[in-house]
Amino acid sequence: MSNEHYLNNPLIHKNRQLHAHASEWIRQFDCRELRPLIICRGPIRKEAMDVFVEMGIKDFGILLSEKDSIVYQDALAPELRAIKDPNNIHRVPDYTGANKEEREQRIAQIISIAHTNGYNSIFAGYGFMAEDEAMVAAMEKAGLNFVGPCSKTVHDAGLKDEAKRTALRVGVSVTPGIDNGTALTLLKKYPTIQALKDLIAEQALPLDESLLDQTDVSLEDKADLVLQASYDKGIDLYTVDELSETLTEAVMRMYAEYPSNRVRLKAISGGGGKGQRILAAPSAYEGDEASRIEQAARKTPELIREILNEVKATGVGDNKNVLVELNIETTRHQEIQVIGNGEWSMTLGGRDCSLQMHEQKLLEVSVTVESLQAAIEEAKQQGRATEQGVLEQDLKTLIAMEDEAARFGEAVGLDSVSTFECIVDRDKHFFMEMNTRIQVEHRVTELCYALKFVNPENPNDYFIVESLVEAMVLLAAHGSKLPKPERILRHNDSVEARLNATNSALQPSAGGVIEYWSDAIEGEIRDDQGISLHNPDTDVFIKYTLAGAYDSNIALLLTVGETRLDTYERMAETLRRTTIRGKDLATNLSFHNGLVNWFIGNNINARPTTRFIVPYLTLVGEVKALADNIDLDAAWHLLADHVTAGAEGAAKTALSECLALKQTLLTRPLGALLSDPHALSGWLSIHSDCVGLVGDTLVWNENPVELLAETYEFLNMGYRAGQAAASMIWSHDNELLQEANQFYQDLDDRLACEDWIELCSVLDEDCAPEGSDLSEELWAAVRSAHYGYQAGMDLLLILPKLGLLADFYALAVNEDLTIYIPERLLDADHQAKMAKVLAPPPAAKADEILAASGGMFYGRESPEHALYVEPGSHFEAGDPLYIVEVMKMFNKVYAPFAGTVDQVLVDKDGVIIRKGQPLFKITPDEKIEIETSEQKQARQRAKTTELMQSLL
């Protein structure tokens, strides 16, 4: 079978069958008595199935939602093939339910499935209800072993308000803000202990009134006890409007204290980027201080409703608490992996998750003591004192966060794996939340550290656990018997790229079909849902449909190394050699390729903040805007005319023929880069020194022939016998390129020049260099061949010229490892404009508005609100028109211009729409000018002529 590096990767697959070990002490940790029901989906489901089999646990089952995206066209999902008994596949409408009532129904259904089919444990992975305290408690009450933190830990650590209170109690620093908005709302209505007691009696709440007489409990905490009783009973004691009023007041107080900061609103049950919104700072508005604060806080109620809708906490009796926190503007998002058995708690290093957009993580990199120590030593040896100091502070911060995380784990009785999440601001760090589940990016940690469990009575009797899923199972089955393990190093560094179904602007793009995905290469860890499992009979890739019912993640791609640079270079190689294509398919593969190479080309130790990605995308959009103005065919002919202008007769004919042989050799890779702005960003990043400026003229610092060969490799277009011509250099072009490369290699061997500039200087001379064995005739032939090989190569100057025109290198890493972001890249209007350049909206008629993406349509804020627009409604540019739920995220879509609605073409909420579908018939206030194809061509030719004149 092909795809061996996917099927049998030793970095993630091994024999885990402790029951077969020679040691009696080790055999006691046999887990085969567990019969788990897997109630999650995505890569973690496939990973859990693999680990269970490797542990000897073969009798497990899975839930399969009717909406599940693993349903193939005309084929069973690979995960289903791994389960031989179809009775172990249990179909449900979905995994969570849309509201509290449906959620409770799903929990009851899961328990019924488990009891009916003999399952004794539940594995929830990292999605859906993994952190749902009610679900975990229900499983425990039903006698099922939950593979993950117990319900008490989920309550104390997983609910964001409770977690912050616990953190304060054990001396962990937290972000400024309030965590008890619901309690404060209740106390507005019932401000005294007696009023609360009267409420308990009036509503017959299941709460002992005497608990409110405790003198060591604050009034706010007593209000929380009453609220918890109301949630248990399933009734509301406050309205969303009342809560919004309280939180708006809290936001205004925070703005008064921190007028230059934004404010973050965060649902206590949010996670994975969902249930969070950020309010702009007062400084973004006009007027006096009080007016600016009022304007900035005005959107609070609207965002509260968006948050509650997104986390599905709008039902009667739902806990609707939303945290109000100061947004640390220069924040880096770091998290510590924690593991415990209820008695001991320890950490396994950190992960930097700062490279994210809209709270969705994109690239996660390990943070380990060993890696930082190595980087510190390298900086010291190379005399980079400022960088050394920053790295030393990072090491101190990591050690402090790991210490706090271990103490927090002990305080909440952590009995499985969880993640201690922090924000880091230079030399300060603040606890943000604890996720009481395994994280999507958990492999980043387990590829760096393993756990060594040692027999307390015999240090030579031990076993090693390299999988966090395996550790979770062991803790669920034998937690109290497991001694505190040793942390042992596997690799200094690892990195994970989330391959998502998004367009070039990183906007969700559902509904595509993957028709081909190249095999994993050596060193690549590819976690998917089984997409890469080929047909077992034909060894052929099976088409895969990306549904929009869930998040946009397709797979997790990981690499390891002994340094961060080594790890990133391996990731760049993995991305370079990955091909994924299909119908209506958009992914962020090229984005990752560009981003990883940006860090390789700048400084791999750079410390980006969570605000880096949008300015970076804006810069890539600027490059694309320039690239879109180039007519490559016109550029080639302008160059050819320039090159042959001074020649006459036979010489001109020969030169023209030489150039004709090179046209596709040069234009095909340039065309590929100009059409892919993310690839172009990566190319510019790692080739920043390929040219220099002499006055206003660009000159080569390296041989453009060698650069061209590197470009073909960068684009994965190198010659491979038997491959489709469309995806590689053409054979005759390859022969010419190899011939040219060999010529310069031979020349280097003979002349031993220091660099390209010296070689060109030597070749400018009429006579062969002194001491060479080249005759006058041969030297003339060498110079002629050099001229012929270089003819036309200046077409490549288009690429660095675009970099200069876009001021690409202004986005740069400072000495202190912070990143300088030019002001223009922070302008919100410019960011939105460049996002449209990267992902142009569907072409529309002047009298209609089309769906920007597929998903589920909602025409109003919430069911009780009025429609945003109706026939006859006038809207201004920037007014909300509708909400589209795509891949579990609610995206509000705003009017791009002003106009009047003539007709609404979607008749109700909850309807599935497709990208490009007409949604509204409108009459715009101003006539919209649409560029014709002739106008576009004329514009491109004019811009191309201007560009080539500057180069030639």
Side-chain angles (χ1 to χ4, degrees), residues 854-872:
M856 190 170 289
F857 176 93
Y858 297 96
R860 65 192 83 215
E861 191 73 40
S862 65
E864 63 267 23
H865 279 71
L867 291 166
Y868 288 124
V869 293
E870 298 179 273

mmCIF file with all atom_site columns, all heavy atoms in Angstrom, residues 854-872:
data_model
loop_
_atom_site.group_PDB
_atom_site.id
_atom_site.type_symbol
_atom_site.label_atom_id
_atom_site.label_alt_id
_atom_site.label_comp_id
_atom_site.label_asym_id
_atom_site.label_entity_id
_atom_site.label_seq_id
_atom_site.pdbx_PDB_ins_code
_atom_site.Cartn_x
_atom_site.Cartn_y
_atom_site.Cartn_z
_atom_site.occupancy
_atom_site.B_iso_or_equiv
_atom_site.pdbx_formal_charge
_atom_site.auth_seq_id
_atom_site.auth_comp_id
_atom_site.auth_asym_id
_atom_site.auth_atom_id
_atom_site.pdbx_PDB_model_num
ATOM 1   N N   . GLY A 1 854 ? -21.168 30.086 1.724  1.00 0.00 ? 854 GLY A N   1
ATOM 2   C CA  . GLY A 1 854 ? -22.247 29.182 2.048  1.00 0.00 ? 854 GLY A CA  1
ATOM 3   C C   . GLY A 1 854 ? -22.435 29.092 3.553  1.00 0.00 ? 854 GLY A C   1
ATOM 4   O O   . GLY A 1 854 ? -21.578 29.496 4.326  1.00 0.00 ? 854 GLY A O   1
ATOM 5   N N   . GLY A 1 855 ? -23.571 28.564 3.984  1.00 0.00 ? 855 GLY A N   1
ATOM 6   C CA  . GLY A 1 855 ? -23.834 28.407 5.410  1.00 0.00 ? 855 GLY A CA  1
ATOM 7   C C   . GLY A 1 855 ? -25.322 28.484 5.695  1.00 0.00 ? 855 GLY A C   1
ATOM 8   O O   . GLY A 1 855 ? -26.159 28.298 4.808  1.00 0.00 ? 855 GLY A O   1
ATOM 9   N N   . MET A 1 856 ? -25.644 28.780 6.948  1.00 0.00 ? 856 MET A N   1
ATOM 10  C CA  . MET A 1 856 ? -27.049 28.874 7.362  1.00 0.00 ? 856 MET A CA  1
ATOM 11  C C   . MET A 1 856 ? -27.419 30.342 7.547  1.00 0.00 ? 856 MET A C   1
ATOM 12  O O   . MET A 1 856 ? -26.736 31.069 8.268  1.00 0.00 ? 856 MET A O   1
ATOM 13  C CB  . MET A 1 856 ? -27.288 28.077 8.644  1.00 0.00 ? 856 MET A CB  1
ATOM 14  C CG  . MET A 1 856 ? -28.757 27.932 9.006  1.00 0.00 ? 856 MET A CG  1
ATOM 15  S SD  . MET A 1 856 ? -29.021 26.738 10.345 1.00 0.00 ? 856 MET A SD  1
ATOM 16  C CE  . MET A 1 856 ? -28.663 25.195 9.507  1.00 0.00 ? 856 MET A CE  1
ATOM 17  N N   . PHE A 1 857 ? -28.487 30.758 6.909  1.00 0.00 ? 857 PHE A N   1
ATOM 18  C CA  . PHE A 1 857 ? -28.894 32.158 6.857  1.00 0.00 ? 857 PHE A CA  1
ATOM 19  C C   . PHE A 1 857 ? -29.806 32.520 8.033  1.00 0.00 ? 857 PHE A C   1
ATOM 20  O O   . PHE A 1 857 ? -30.728 31.773 8.369  1.00 0.00 ? 857 PHE A O   1
ATOM 21  C CB  . PHE A 1 857 ? -29.629 32.412 5.536  1.00 0.00 ? 857 PHE A CB  1
ATOM 22  C CG  . PHE A 1 857 ? -30.200 33.791 5.384  1.00 0.00 ? 857 PHE A CG  1
ATOM 23  C CD1 . PHE A 1 857 ? -29.473 34.793 4.766  1.00 0.00 ? 857 PHE A CD1 1
ATOM 24  C CD2 . PHE A 1 857 ? -31.479 34.091 5.845  1.00 0.00 ? 857 PHE A CD2 1
ATOM 25  C CE1 . PHE A 1 857 ? -30.006 36.069 4.607  1.00 0.00 ? 857 PHE A CE1 1
ATOM 26  C CE2 . PHE A 1 857 ? -32.024 35.358 5.704  1.00 0.00 ? 857 PHE A CE2 1
ATOM 27  C CZ  . PHE A 1 857 ? -31.283 36.352 5.082  1.00 0.00 ? 857 PHE A CZ  1
ATOM 28  N N   . TYR A 1 858 ? -29.520 33.674 8.650  1.00 0.00 ? 858 TYR A N   1
ATOM 29  C CA  . TYR A 1 858 ? -30.403 34.254 9.668  1.00 0.00 ? 858 TYR A CA  1
ATOM 30  C C   . TYR A 1 858 ? -30.570 35.730 9.330  1.00 0.00 ? 858 TYR A C   1
ATOM 31  O O   . TYR A 1 858 ? -29.582 36.454 9.153  1.00 0.00 ? 858 TYR A O   1
ATOM 32  C CB  . TYR A 1 858 ? -29.820 34.116 11.070 1.00 0.00 ? 858 TYR A CB  1
ATOM 33  C CG  . TYR A 1 858 ? -29.651 32.683 11.526 1.00 0.00 ? 858 TYR A CG  1
ATOM 34  C CD1 . TYR A 1 858 ? -28.412 32.043 11.384 1.00 0.00 ? 858 TYR A CD1 1
ATOM 35  C CD2 . TYR A 1 858 ? -30.711 31.976 12.070 1.00 0.00 ? 858 TYR A CD2 1
ATOM 36  C CE1 . TYR A 1 858 ? -28.251 30.726 11.790 1.00 0.00 ? 858 TYR A CE1 1
ATOM 37  C CE2 . TYR A 1 858 ? -30.546 30.657 12.480 1.00 0.00 ? 858 TYR A CE2 1
ATOM 38  C CZ  . TYR A 1 858 ? -29.320 30.039 12.331 1.00 0.00 ? 858 TYR A CZ  1
ATOM 39  O OH  . TYR A 1 858 ? -29.156 28.736 12.730 1.00 0.00 ? 858 TYR A OH  1
ATOM 40  N N   . GLY A 1 859 ? -31.801 36.190 9.290  1.00 0.00 ? 859 GLY A N   1
ATOM 41  C CA  . GLY A 1 859 ? -32.061 37.574 8.914  1.00 0.00 ? 859 GLY A CA  1
ATOM 42  C C   . GLY A 1 859 ? -32.220 38.521 10.084 1.00 0.00 ? 859 GLY A C   1
ATOM 43  O O   . GLY A 1 859 ? -32.553 39.691 9.891  1.00 0.00 ? 859 GLY A O   1
ATOM 44  N N   . ARG A 1 860 ? -31.941 38.021 11.292 1.00 0.00 ? 860 ARG A N   1
ATOM 45  C CA  . ARG A 1 860 ? -32.145 38.862 12.479 1.00 0.00 ? 860 ARG A CA  1
ATOM 46  C C   . ARG A 1 860 ? -31.140 38.473 13.556 1.00 0.00 ? 860 ARG A C   1
ATOM 47  O O   . ARG A 1 860 ? -30.499 37.430 13.497 1.00 0.00 ? 860 ARG A O   1
ATOM 48  C CB  . ARG A 1 860 ? -33.581 38.719 12.977 1.00 0.00 ? 860 ARG A CB  1
ATOM 49  C CG  . ARG A 1 860 ? -33.922 37.326 13.482 1.00 0.00 ? 860 ARG A CG  1
ATOM 50  C CD  . ARG A 1 860 ? -35.415 37.149 13.691 1.00 0.00 ? 860 ARG A CD  1
ATOM 51  N NE  . ARG A 1 860 ? -36.099 36.802 12.449 1.00 0.00 ? 860 ARG A NE  1
ATOM 52  C CZ  . ARG A 1 860 ? -37.320 37.199 12.138 1.00 0.00 ? 860 ARG A CZ  1
ATOM 53  N NH1 . ARG A 1 860 ? -38.008 37.954 12.979 1.00 0.00 ? 860 ARG A NH1 1
ATOM 54  N NH2 . ARG A 1 860 ? -37.877 36.841 11.004 1.00 0.00 ? 860 ARG A NH2 1
ATOM 55  N N   . GLU A 1 861 ? -31.036 39.348 14.576 1.00 0.00 ? 861 GLU A N   1
ATOM 56  C CA  . GLU A 1 861 ? -30.072 39.147 15.665 1.00 0.00 ? 861 GLU A CA  1
ATOM 57  C C   . GLU A 1 861 ? -30.378 37.888 16.458 1.00 0.00 ? 861 GLU A C   1
ATOM 58  O O   . GLU A 1 861 ? -29.490 37.107 16.798 1.00 0.00 ? 861 GLU A O   1
ATOM 59  C CB  . GLU A 1 861 ? -30.100 40.374 16.587 1.00 0.00 ? 861 GLU A CB  1
ATOM 60  C CG  . GLU A 1 861 ? -28.977 40.421 17.595 1.00 0.00 ? 861 GLU A CG  1
ATOM 61  C CD  . GLU A 1 861 ? -27.656 40.764 16.947 1.00 0.00 ? 861 GLU A CD  1
ATOM 62  O OE1 . GLU A 1 861 ? -27.611 41.616 16.049 1.00 0.00 ? 861 GLU A OE1 1
ATOM 63  O OE2 . GLU A 1 861 ? -26.656 40.152 17.340 1.00 0.00 ? 861 GLU A OE2 1
ATOM 64  N N   . SER A 1 862 ? -31.647 37.695 16.787 1.00 0.00 ? 862 SER A N   1
ATOM 65  C CA  . SER A 1 862 ? -32.099 36.520 17.527 1.00 0.00 ? 862 SER A CA  1
ATOM 66  C C   . SER A 1 862 ? -33.588 36.352 17.225 1.00 0.00 ? 862 SER A C   1
ATOM 67  O O   . SER A 1 862 ? -34.212 37.261 16.663 1.00 0.00 ? 862 SER A O   1
ATOM 68  C CB  . SER A 1 862 ? -31.861 36.694 19.038 1.00 0.00 ? 862 SER A CB  1
ATOM 69  O OG  . SER A 1 862 ? -32.649 37.745 19.551 1.00 0.00 ? 862 SER A OG  1
ATOM 70  N N   . PRO A 1 863 ? -34.161 35.211 17.578 1.00 0.00 ? 863 PRO A N   1
ATOM 71  C CA  . PRO A 1 863 ? -35.565 34.970 17.199 1.00 0.00 ? 863 PRO A CA  1
ATOM 72  C C   . PRO A 1 863 ? -36.530 36.056 17.636 1.00 0.00 ? 863 PRO A C   1
ATOM 73  O O   . PRO A 1 863 ? -37.529 36.308 16.943 1.00 0.00 ? 863 PRO A O   1
ATOM 74  C CB  . PRO A 1 863 ? -35.870 33.635 17.886 1.00 0.00 ? 863 PRO A CB  1
ATOM 75  C CG  . PRO A 1 863 ? -34.548 32.944 17.950 1.00 0.00 ? 863 PRO A CG  1
ATOM 76  C CD  . PRO A 1 863 ? -33.547 34.021 18.201 1.00 0.00 ? 863 PRO A CD  1
ATOM 77  N N   . GLU A 1 864 ? -36.243 36.714 18.769 1.00 0.00 ? 864 GLU A N   1
ATOM 78  C CA  . GLU A 1 864 ? -37.192 37.724 19.253 1.00 0.00 ? 864 GLU A CA  1
ATOM 79  C C   . GLU A 1 864 ? -36.953 39.109 18.657 1.00 0.00 ? 864 GLU A C   1
ATOM 80  O O   . GLU A 1 864 ? -37.693 40.050 18.924 1.00 0.00 ? 864 GLU A O   1
ATOM 81  C CB  . GLU A 1 864 ? -37.145 37.816 20.785 1.00 0.00 ? 864 GLU A CB  1
ATOM 82  C CG  . GLU A 1 864 ? -35.806 38.264 21.358 1.00 0.00 ? 864 GLU A CG  1
ATOM 83  C CD  . GLU A 1 864 ? -34.901 37.104 21.713 1.00 0.00 ? 864 GLU A CD  1
ATOM 84  O OE1 . GLU A 1 864 ? -35.090 36.009 21.147 1.00 0.00 ? 864 GLU A OE1 1
ATOM 85  O OE2 . GLU A 1 864 ? -33.998 37.297 22.558 1.00 0.00 ? 864 GLU A OE2 1
ATOM 86  N N   . HIS A 1 865 ? -35.888 39.253 17.827 1.00 0.00 ? 865 HIS A N   1
ATOM 87  C CA  . HIS A 1 865 ? -35.585 40.540 17.228 1.00 0.00 ? 865 HIS A CA  1
ATOM 88  C C   . HIS A 1 865 ? -36.241 40.683 15.865 1.00 0.00 ? 865 HIS A C   1
ATOM 89  O O   . HIS A 1 865 ? -36.583 39.697 15.201 1.00 0.00 ? 865 HIS A O   1
ATOM 90  C CB  . HIS A 1 865 ? -34.075 40.726 17.077 1.00 0.00 ? 865 HIS A CB  1
ATOM 91  C CG  . HIS A 1 865 ? -33.396 41.165 18.335 1.00 0.00 ? 865 HIS A CG  1
ATOM 92  N ND1 . HIS A 1 865 ? -33.238 40.317 19.414 1.00 0.00 ? 865 HIS A ND1 1
ATOM 93  C CD2 . HIS A 1 865 ? -32.837 42.350 18.699 1.00 0.00 ? 865 HIS A CD2 1
ATOM 94  C CE1 . HIS A 1 865 ? -32.604 40.972 20.382 1.00 0.00 ? 865 HIS A CE1 1
ATOM 95  N NE2 . HIS A 1 865 ? -32.358 42.198 19.971 1.00 0.00 ? 865 HIS A NE2 1
ATOM 96  N N   . ALA A 1 866 ? -36.384 41.934 15.433 1.00 0.00 ? 866 ALA A N   1
ATOM 97  C CA  . ALA A 1 866 ? -36.914 42.213 14.098 1.00 0.00 ? 866 ALA A CA  1
ATOM 98  C C   . ALA A 1 866 ? -35.861 41.897 13.046 1.00 0.00 ? 866 ALA A C   1
ATOM 99  O O   . ALA A 1 866 ? -34.655 41.820 13.343 1.00 0.00 ? 866 ALA A O   1
ATOM 100 C CB  . ALA A 1 866 ? -37.321 43.682 14.001 1.00 0.00 ? 866 ALA A CB  1
ATOM 101 N N   . LEU A 1 867 ? -36.306 41.705 11.808 1.00 0.00 ? 867 LEU A N   1
ATOM 102 C CA  . LEU A 1 867 ? -35.379 41.476 10.704 1.00 0.00 ? 867 LEU A CA  1
ATOM 103 C C   . LEU A 1 867 ? -34.479 42.699 10.517 1.00 0.00 ? 867 LEU A C   1
ATOM 104 O O   . LEU A 1 867 ? -34.890 43.843 10.750 1.00 0.00 ? 867 LEU A O   1
ATOM 105 C CB  . LEU A 1 867 ? -36.151 41.212 9.415  1.00 0.00 ? 867 LEU A CB  1
ATOM 106 C CG  . LEU A 1 867 ? -36.935 39.887 9.345  1.00 0.00 ? 867 LEU A CG  1
ATOM 107 C CD1 . LEU A 1 867 ? -37.904 39.916 8.179  1.00 0.00 ? 867 LEU A CD1 1
ATOM 108 C CD2 . LEU A 1 867 ? -35.980 38.707 9.229  1.00 0.00 ? 867 LEU A CD2 1
ATOM 109 N N   . TYR A 1 868 ? -33.238 42.433 10.098 1.00 0.00 ? 868 TYR A N   1
ATOM 110 C CA  . TYR A 1 868 ? -32.338 43.548 9.807  1.00 0.00 ? 868 TYR A CA  1
ATOM 111 C C   . TYR A 1 868 ? -32.909 44.421 8.696  1.00 0.00 ? 868 TYR A C   1
ATOM 112 O O   . TYR A 1 868 ? -32.912 45.648 8.783  1.00 0.00 ? 868 TYR A O   1
ATOM 113 C CB  . TYR A 1 868 ? -30.959 43.019 9.382  1.00 0.00 ? 868 TYR A CB  1
ATOM 114 C CG  . TYR A 1 868 ? -30.140 42.423 10.494 1.00 0.00 ? 868 TYR A CG  1
ATOM 115 C CD1 . TYR A 1 868 ? -29.663 41.124 10.394 1.00 0.00 ? 868 TYR A CD1 1
ATOM 116 C CD2 . TYR A 1 868 ? -29.834 43.158 11.629 1.00 0.00 ? 868 TYR A CD2 1
ATOM 117 C CE1 . TYR A 1 868 ? -28.893 40.558 11.406 1.00 0.00 ? 868 TYR A CE1 1
ATOM 118 C CE2 . TYR A 1 868 ? -29.065 42.613 12.655 1.00 0.00 ? 868 TYR A CE2 1
ATOM 119 C CZ  . TYR A 1 868 ? -28.602 41.304 12.540 1.00 0.00 ? 868 TYR A CZ  1
ATOM 120 O OH  . TYR A 1 868 ? -27.851 40.767 13.540 1.00 0.00 ? 868 TYR A OH  1
ATOM 121 N N   . VAL A 1 869 ? -33.356 43.779 7.615  1.00 0.00 ? 869 VAL A N   1
ATOM 122 C CA  . VAL A 1 869 ? -33.937 44.526 6.496  1.00 0.00 ? 869 VAL A CA  1
ATOM 123 C C   . VAL A 1 869 ? -35.155 43.779 5.962  1.00 0.00 ? 869 VAL A C   1
ATOM 124 O O   . VAL A 1 869 ? -35.239 42.546 6.042  1.00 0.00 ? 869 VAL A O   1
ATOM 125 C CB  . VAL A 1 869 ? -32.919 44.727 5.351  1.00 0.00 ? 869 VAL A CB  1
ATOM 126 C CG1 . VAL A 1 869 ? -31.790 45.645 5.777  1.00 0.00 ? 869 VAL A CG1 1
ATOM 127 C CG2 . VAL A 1 869 ? -32.364 43.397 4.858  1.00 0.00 ? 869 VAL A CG2 1
ATOM 128 N N   . GLU A 1 870 ? -36.090 44.539 5.422  1.00 0.00 ? 870 GLU A N   1
ATOM 129 C CA  . GLU A 1 870 ? -37.294 44.008 4.774  1.00 0.00 ? 870 GLU A CA  1
ATOM 130 C C   . GLU A 1 870 ? -37.486 44.770 3.469  1.00 0.00 ? 870 GLU A C   1
ATOM 131 O O   . GLU A 1 870 ? -36.832 45.797 3.232  1.00 0.00 ? 870 GLU A O   1
ATOM 132 C CB  . GLU A 1 870 ? -38.509 44.198 5.683  1.00 0.00 ? 870 GLU A CB  1
ATOM 133 C CG  . GLU A 1 870 ? -38.423 43.474 7.010  1.00 0.00 ? 870 GLU A CG  1
ATOM 134 C CD  . GLU A 1 870 ? -39.643 43.725 7.869  1.00 0.00 ? 870 GLU A CD  1
ATOM 135 O OE1 . GLU A 1 870 ? -39.645 44.733 8.608  1.00 0.00 ? 870 GLU A OE1 1
ATOM 136 O OE2 . GLU A 1 870 ? -40.591 42.923 7.773  1.00 0.00 ? 870 GLU A OE2 1
ATOM 137 N N   . PRO A 1 871 ? -38.375 44.303 2.604  1.00 0.00 ? 871 PRO A N   1
ATOM 138 C CA  . PRO A 1 871 ? -38.645 45.073 1.383  1.00 0.00 ? 871 PRO A CA  1
ATOM 139 C C   . PRO A 1 871 ? -39.014 46.516 1.733  1.00 0.00 ? 871 PRO A C   1
ATOM 140 O O   . PRO A 1 871 ? -39.849 46.774 2.601  1.00 0.00 ? 871 PRO A O   1
ATOM 141 C CB  . PRO A 1 871 ? -39.818 44.321 0.742  1.00 0.00 ? 871 PRO A CB  1
ATOM 142 C CG  . PRO A 1 871 ? -39.617 42.899 1.194  1.00 0.00 ? 871 PRO A CG  1
ATOM 143 C CD  . PRO A 1 871 ? -39.104 43.012 2.600  1.00 0.00 ? 871 PRO A CD  1
ATOM 144 N N   . GLY A 1 872 ? -38.356 47.449 1.094  1.00 0.00 ? 872 GLY A N   1
ATOM 145 C CA  . GLY A 1 872 ? -38.581 48.863 1.370  1.00 0.00 ? 872 GLY A CA  1
ATOM 146 C C   . GLY A 1 872 ? -37.587 49.462 2.340  1.00 0.00 ? 872 GLY A C   1
ATOM 147 O O   . GLY A 1 872 ? -37.495 50.686 2.477  1.00 0.00 ? 872 GLY A O   1
#
